Amino acid sequence: MTTWIIGDLQGCYDSLMRLLDQIAFESRSDELIFVGDLVNRGPGSEACLRWVQEQCERGSAQCVLGNHDLHLLAVAAGKRKANDGDTLDDILRARDRTSLLDWLARQPLLLRRGDDCIVHAGLHPDWDLDTATLCAREVEAELAGTQRTAFFARMYGNEPSRWRDCTSAEARQRFAVNSFTRMRFVHRKQHALMLKAKGSAESPPEGCIPWFAAPHHRPAQSRVFFGHWSTLGTVKWPQYRVLGLDTGCVWGNRLTACDLHSESLHSVPTAPGEGRTPEG
């Protein structure tokens, strides 16, 4: 069995179908793991969500939640306004939206394969794997529970930015959401989340480093597969044992899959009609 880890779809359904053809995906013998952001900005958000749900329910796929997936859930719960350029209306107007969104809300923030991790944005450097897993499970319980709407009301915000300042459940959960779904750069010395910093990991803003360049507490042999960072610049960072699989499909670049075991990469150009102009 081949396990393929696939970068951010963001509603690029035609590109996904092309990629699956290229890797000769066979649902009976292969497995797919999606690194989050299944929806939004691309024209096929509903199609992507339904296809991934079907494969997950058949046992041939898994996914983690990304920031755009959480945005969809928060908009549906009435705790976040839709943004200009969102492509979520088909999902929000679907007759079965409740069951579809309930399924999405039950998906994890973190998947582990031994010492390897699959997340959307990253793994905070101040966490060991057990701490990261506990943080993920705590948030997942909130998302899957009956008080999900109340959770969205307190989920957003950039503080606390440091793990050591998470002195309450609310602070700990917000920090976890930001680390798993929004993080790119951290402060060079304090490892505070620098959520407003953008750009390539090869040219970080002053005082910042990519989250994966900070000393980590995970095992030496472990790898982290992630998405979220379309301007990362490089997919493989062997010196840090991370692979960033968001290659900017929705921005007219490519959709990428990585073989979990061999780390071989396969990608396809964005399908016609699915790419957008990057925002300023």
Side-chain angles (χ1 to χ4, degrees):
M1 182 181 75
T2 302
T3 297
W4 296 101
I5 305 178
I6 297 180
D8 303 31
L9 299 181
Q10 291 201 247
C12 294
Y13 178 78
D14 290 344
S15 298
L16 172 61
M17 294 300 106
R18 290 183 172 197
L19 182 60
L20 296 177
D21 285 343
Q22 183 180 115
I23 64 176
F25 169 66
E26 173 53 61
S27 61
R28 295 182 180 180
S29 57
D30 295 335
E31 179 187 28
L32 305 175
I33 301 177
F34 295 90
V35 299
D37 278 3
L38 304 179
V39 302
N40 211 14
R41 291 183 170 149
S45 289
E46 182 182 13
C48 283
L49 184 60
R50 291 188 183 279
W51 192 90
V52 173
Q53 179 193 28
E54 179 183 351
Q55 297 304 313
C56 288
E57 291 179 344
R58 293 177 61 178
S60 58
Q62 296 185 77
C63 69
V64 296
L65 292 169
N67 54 301
H68 283 280
D69 307 314
L70 292 177
H71 174 66
L72 165 61
L73 292 169
V75 170
K79 294 302 179 181
R80 200 72 172 174
K81 292 183 178 180
N83 298 319
D84 292 341
D86 281 355
T87 59
L88 304 173
D89 286 350
D90 287 349
I91 299 171
L92 296 172
R93 294 170 181 167
R95 292 183 178 180
D96 61 342
R97 64 170 258 172
T98 298
S99 60
L100 191 60
L101 296 175
D102 283 347
W103 172 83
L104 183 64
R106 293 194 301 271
Q107 303 315 299
L109 287 168
L110 166 72
L111 288 171
R112 288 180 59 176
R113 293 296 179 91
D115 289 331
D116 292 335
C117 297
I118 300 95
V119 293
H120 178 61
L123 198 68
H124 195 271
D126 290 352
W127 289 339
D128 58 28
L129 293 190
D130 288 340
T131 300
T133 302
L134 287 172
C135 287
R137 302 302 172 249
E138 182 178 2
V139 174
E140 290 160 13
E142 295 284 346
L143 291 170
T146 59
Q147 300 300 312
R148 185 165 78 216
T149 298
F151 174 74
F152 288 130
R154 63 179 187 271
M155 182 181 75
Y156 287 95
N158 293 345
E159 298 294 334
S161 63
R162 299 184 301 178
W163 175 236
R164 67 186 184 186
D165 294 333
C166 295
T167 57
S168 67
E170 180 177 332
R172 186 172 60 248
Q173 292 165 10
R174 186 182 301 119
F175 184 91
V177 168
N178 287 339
S179 296
F180 284 126
T181 70
R182 297 178 61 201
M183 177 175 62
R184 293 186 180 95
F185 292 103
V186 297
H187 188 274
R188 181 178 297 276
K189 294 182 180 179
Q190 300 177 5
H191 300 169
L193 299 174
M194 309 296 283
L195 296 173
K196 295 182 180 180
K198 296 182 179 180
S200 169
E202 295 163 334
S203 302
E206 184 177 357
C208 299
I209 55 175
W211 63 266
F212 50 78
H216 269 69
H217 296 284
R218 54 192 169 94
Q221 73 277 11
S222 70
R223 299 171 296 171
V224 180
F225 298 84
F226 66 102
H228 185 60
W229 201 340
S230 63
T231 58
L232 186 64
T234 303
V235 171
K236 293 185 179 182
W237 297 77
Q239 68 271 42
Y240 303 117
R241 306 180 312 283
V242 300
L243 294 94
L245 297 172
D246 181 4
T247 48
C249 183
V250 78
W251 304 122
N253 295 319
R254 304 185 74 84
L255 183 64
T256 297
C258 177
D259 184 322
L260 172 68
H261 302 291
S262 71
E263 295 186 7
S264 63
L265 300 174
H266 296 261
S267 68
V268 295
T270 305
E274 290 190 334
R276 295 178 58 168
T277 301
E279 300 168 346

